[in-house]
Amino acid sequence: MLITSRHTLASLPARLIDLETLTHQDSVRLIAQSLVDARPSDKRPQEEDGKLQELVALCGFLPLALQIAAALLKAEPNRPVADLLEDMRNFKDRLWALQYDDGDGRSLAVKAAFDLSYERLKPEQARVFRLMSLCPGQEVSLEAAAALVGESARVVRPLIAGLAQAHLIEPLSADRWRLHDLIYLYSKELCQQVEVESDIDAAHERLVEHYQVTAHAADDALDVLRKKDGSRRFDSPQEARSWLDQERATIMACITATKERNPEVAWALILHSGTYLAQRHYFDDVISNMRTAVEIARKQGWRNREAMATERLGSSLLAANAHEDAIRAYRSAVEIYSEIEDRHREAHCLSSLGAAQNRAWRYDEGISAIRRAIDIFRENGDRNCEADALNALGRSLSSHGEWRNEEALESHRAALKIFREIKGRRGEAVSRDYIGALMKEAQRYDEALKMHWGALAIFRELGRRDDEMVALAFSGDALSEARKDTEAVEAYEQALSIARELGRRGSEGNYLGRLGQSFQRLGLFQKSLDSYSQALEICRETKSLHNEAHILASLAESLDGLSQHAEAEVARRRAIELFDATGVRSRKVAGEG
């Protein structure tokens, strides 16, 4: 016996089979075949295939909705698919568009089918269902649902279980559910009809407060150096990242939904999600959020916050390799800081501006900006920031060309001297790493390693895992250049382990690439190939075209070492394409020129 129901009949001693929505391809095939079966001469499936692809998506791939769409098109053989699609695009009217009546008592309607399930709900279940439509993004966690209803998770869970049994929501995990696109519209419509405005506002406030508080706690957990109290929400950075991975889309939607209604909450969500988004290389989200932050600050007249948001926008654009846009943002921030007479932040922003100009190969401008920052820090007597800026100057000078390495070394040594005088242990270690990098360039490998290992010891003493990771990579570079590849592999593997521990995907890809080069020099071409393959996957995930180009060029050499010359040529040509696309002409790709 086969029994069908929209409700899960869990009490029956029978095998339960849950039917999913159709795939995109099967949905298109269902409507197309229905039209051709009715009228073999119907050309719409072939002539409007693109429109049909969009139509099935708006139907949410739900069989009933697809059947109704097909019936509507069959009833009017001269009606273009584009015409029905236009009716469906209207978010508010979509449910009303999805109904068909033969005129003889036979009718089909998506809303009527939903009504049958909704009318069987208990009042408290119906309220949960209606309020769930207030959660942006259509995915709802148990905690978010509890916040919406204003009850504990223990009270809300059995109510949500009833909604899942009625197939009004789809379970994604033990504590997470999704509203199908059309059911979300249905729930939203009911919420507006049944709930009073004050209750909707109160539920919305509880929801955004939940996300604000939890996002703050997650951001706090990601900062491994921040002192934690005993009431922390997350036990580890990994747990915080897992929550943020699940809630990222909802947090982004909350920012959009609250920026007009509650700008303070939107501002807080932007700040608390920034570290995570940057670490995960979601630069599009970071840039979008910082543009929103600038917009909020301008509307509210928060001049200081506008400067801060504009400065952070510059940092986000720089991380995304949008160098010229980053320079414009930093210049705007410098102007605002100057206007509001915040000399300290103006100097910091000038230093960042210089770094951005350096990345855009505008070295003289970058060096000039950083020198202006140093002058301001000296005027203010801020020795710590002066030393930081001296290190930034050294980096810019060394990037300009080897002919300026002596100037760079002088700048880093001046920074080291200041940090030692003021007992700035972290700054001292950072300076040592930069000096070590220049020693490596001068092929003074023993001196380079002495500086890097000294920096590493300080970072470990301070518990700075992120800085320890960088110092290990610097050490690996010096060992690699000294042709101590076995030791270099060990250093890179330690750096890689920390990158994974901290969730730094960009750094992970970088170190995998360096590890691949060391394996390659050791003649371990298969290991090299494995490292490069993992690195390429991360580069493509994080959209790091420049790094992808470098790794492809190195990959070609490993493939040649394995006598896979055709594959090597493909990798080499792709590397050349990417180097050209990113405007980098200084890199000589193996086999080119």
Side-chain angles (χ1 to χ4, degrees):
M1 179 183 291
L2 179 65
I3 303 172
T4 64
S5 172
R6 279 193 57 80
H7 200 280
T8 302
L9 303 177
S11 62
L12 292 178
R15 180 181 176 186
L16 299 177
I17 302 174
D18 292 315
L19 297 182
E20 305 292 337
T21 55
L22 298 181
T23 66
H24 193 117
Q25 184 179 3
D26 285 342
S27 299
V28 172
R29 188 181 296 122
L30 186 151
I31 294 183
Q33 192 63 51
S34 181
L35 296 179
V36 173
D37 286 347
R39 294 183 179 84
S41 61
D42 197 327
K43 301 297 184 186
R44 287 176 292 181
Q46 291 80 26
E47 294 176 354
E48 295 188 85
D49 178 66
K51 301 297 182 184
L52 205 54
Q53 300 276 349
E54 189 176 346
L55 178 65
V56 299
L58 293 180
C59 289
F61 316 116
L62 197 68
L64 177 59
L66 295 167
Q67 185 183 358
I68 293 170
L72 290 167
L73 291 170
K74 284 191 291 183
E76 299 184 75
N78 294 320
R79 183 184 189 185
V81 176
D83 186 61
L84 176 57
L85 185 60
E86 195 60 37
D87 288 347
M88 293 280 289
R89 281 195 183 117
N90 190 321
F91 186 79
K92 294 181 179 179
D93 296 338
R94 195 173 304 164
L95 285 175
W96 295 101
L98 283 170
Q99 53 185 331
Y100 174 75
D101 192 332
D102 266 335
D104 60 356
R106 292 167 54 85
S107 63
L108 295 171
V110 167
K111 186 175 182 298
F114 295 163
D115 283 339
L116 290 174
S117 295
Y118 175 73
E119 288 164 3
R120 294 184 60 188
L121 298 177
K122 296 175 182 177
E124 58 270 27
Q125 288 178 320
R127 178 169 178 260
V128 173
F129 176 64
R130 294 190 299 269
L131 291 180
M132 286 176 89
S133 69
L134 298 178
C135 192
Q138 298 173 226
E139 286 190 13
V140 187
S141 68
L142 179 60
E143 288 181 331
L148 282 165
V149 179
E151 296 283 359
S152 68
R154 181 180 59 82
V155 171
V156 172
R157 181 184 283 280
L159 301 178
I160 294 179
L163 298 178
Q165 288 172 350
H167 289 90
L168 288 169
I169 57 175
E170 306 166 18
L172 299 175
S173 64
D175 294 326
R176 197 169 189 81
W177 298 265
R178 179 184 180 275
L179 280 75
H180 181 277
D181 296 0
L182 297 177
I183 292 179
Y184 173 72
L185 293 177
Y186 178 69
S187 172
K188 202 169 191 67
E189 184 178 292
L190 285 171
C191 187
Q192 293 168 351
Q193 291 172 354
V194 178
E195 300 293 329
V196 297
E197 188 175 345
S198 59
D199 286 347
I200 291 175
D201 289 343
H204 185 270
E205 290 303 315
R206 289 192 298 269
L207 180 71
V208 295
E209 182 183 3
H210 157 69
Y211 277 110
Q212 181 184 356
V213 169
T214 315
H216 191 176
D219 186 45
D220 185 69
L222 290 180
D223 189 337
V224 295
L225 299 174
R226 196 177 298 167
K227 286 188 176 180
K228 310 297 191 297
D229 58 35
S231 61
R232 61 177 181 260
R233 165 67 171 76
F234 298 99
D235 292 329
S236 67
Q238 291 79 7
E239 187 182 342
R241 273 193 293 273
S242 177
W243 181 83
L244 287 161
D245 284 339
Q246 290 185 318
E247 298 287 3
R248 176 173 68 96
T250 304
I251 290 172
M252 292 295 294
C254 273
I255 290 168
T256 301
T258 58
K259 67 179 182 180
E260 298 292 342
R261 181 188 300 189
N262 197 331
E264 280 284 5
V265 169
W267 179 271
L269 284 171
I270 289 169
L271 294 188
H272 298 328
S273 60
T275 299
Y276 160 79
L277 293 172
Q279 287 183 1
R280 284 296 203 220
H281 283 237
Y282 292 125
F283 293 127
D284 289 345
D285 286 351
V286 178
I287 291 167
S288 172
N289 278 353
M290 295 322 303
R291 291 193 193 282
T292 298
V294 172
E295 176 190 338
I296 289 171
R298 282 177 182 164
K299 284 186 178 179
Q300 299 300 318
W302 299 336
R303 203 67 172 136
N304 188 61
R305 289 190 185 185
E306 181 186 347
M308 182 180 73
T310 307
E311 182 180 1
R312 292 193 180 188
L313 174 60
S315 300
S316 305
L317 290 163
L318 188 61
N321 294 317
H323 303 139
E324 293 302 327
D325 289 339
I327 289 169
R328 282 189 286 272
Y330 280 133
R331 280 177 172 160
S332 294
V334 167
E335 288 176 9
I336 299 172
Y337 283 131
S338 177
E339 175 194 319
I340 62 177
E341 299 182 353
D342 187 339
R343 294 282 281 167
H344 180 75
R345 289 308 317 165
E346 180 186 352
H348 273 289
C349 200
L350 278 167
S351 187
S352 299
L353 170 62
Q357 289 168 324
N358 180 56
R359 289 270 295 275
W361 302 293
R362 292 159 63 170
Y363 299 110
D364 290 337
E365 294 175 58
I367 290 167
S368 175
I370 296 171
R371 289 193 191 281
R372 285 169 59 199
I374 292 170
D375 289 341
I376 294 173
F377 287 133
R378 282 175 178 161
E379 287 173 18
N380 294 342
D382 192 334
R383 302 206 73 204
N384 186 78
C385 290
E386 177 191 345
D388 279 335
L390 282 165
N391 273 332
L393 177 61
R395 296 286 284 173
S396 288
L397 288 164
S398 60
S399 296
H400 201 172
E402 290 184 10
W403 62 282
R404 303 204 73 166
N405 278 0
E406 280 304 316
E407 289 179 80
L409 190 58
E410 183 182 339
S411 188
H412 288 311
R413 282 175 170 158
L416 178 62
K417 183 174 183 293
I418 293 173
F419 280 126
R420 281 175 171 164
E421 288 174 359
I422 63 175
K423 295 181 171 55
R425 294 286 282 159
R426 179 181 179 269
E428 177 186 345
V430 169
S431 302
R432 291 178 69 95
D433 262 340
Y434 290 150
I435 291 169
L438 288 172
M439 294 295 183
K440 182 205 72 176
E441 293 293 322
Q443 300 181 2
R444 294 156 63 178
Y445 301 123
D446 289 342
E447 293 174 72
L449 287 167
K450 182 179 178 181
M451 297 303 291
H452 292 317
W453 287 337
L456 190 57
I458 295 173
F459 291 139
R460 285 173 173 164
E461 172 195 325
L462 298 174
R464 299 279 318 204
R465 292 288 278 168
D466 51 345
D467 290 325
E468 179 186 348
M469 172 185 74
V470 174
L472 281 164
F474 270 129
S475 300
D477 292 344
L479 289 163
S480 179
E481 288 292 321
R483 291 298 185 265
K484 297 180 179 181
D485 290 300
T486 301
E487 294 172 66
V489 165
E490 184 180 348
Y492 288 141
E493 285 180 336
Q494 288 182 57
L496 180 61
S497 176
I498 297 174
R500 287 171 172 162
E501 171 196 325
L502 299 178
R504 305 290 173 82
R505 289 290 278 169
S507 298
E508 183 183 347
N510 194 331
Y511 303 148
L512 279 165
R514 299 191 204 184
L515 193 57
Q517 289 178 330
S518 291
F519 282 138
Q520 185 175 300
R521 277 196 288 267
L522 288 167
L524 302 172
F525 295 114
Q526 189 55 56
K527 280 193 170 185
S528 173
L529 196 62
D530 292 342
S531 293
Y532 286 142
S533 297
Q534 293 178 62
L536 282 174
E537 183 180 335
I538 293 172
C539 285
R540 287 161 185 163
E541 173 194 321
T542 57
K543 301 177 183 177
S544 302
L545 296 183
H546 180 57
N547 288 339
E548 182 182 347
H550 278 283
I551 291 166
L552 280 166
S554 299
L555 173 66
E557 297 175 26
S558 281
L559 288 167
D560 278 330
L562 291 168
S563 298
Q564 298 178 23
H565 303 300
E567 292 91 336
E569 186 60 25
V570 171
R572 191 173 290 115
R573 289 189 180 281
R574 178 57 181 157
I576 293 170
E577 289 174 8
L578 288 177
F579 280 126
D580 288 343
T582 54
V584 179
R585 301 180 181 84
S586 59
R587 167 77 177 188
K588 180 180 284 188
V589 182
E592 181 195 26

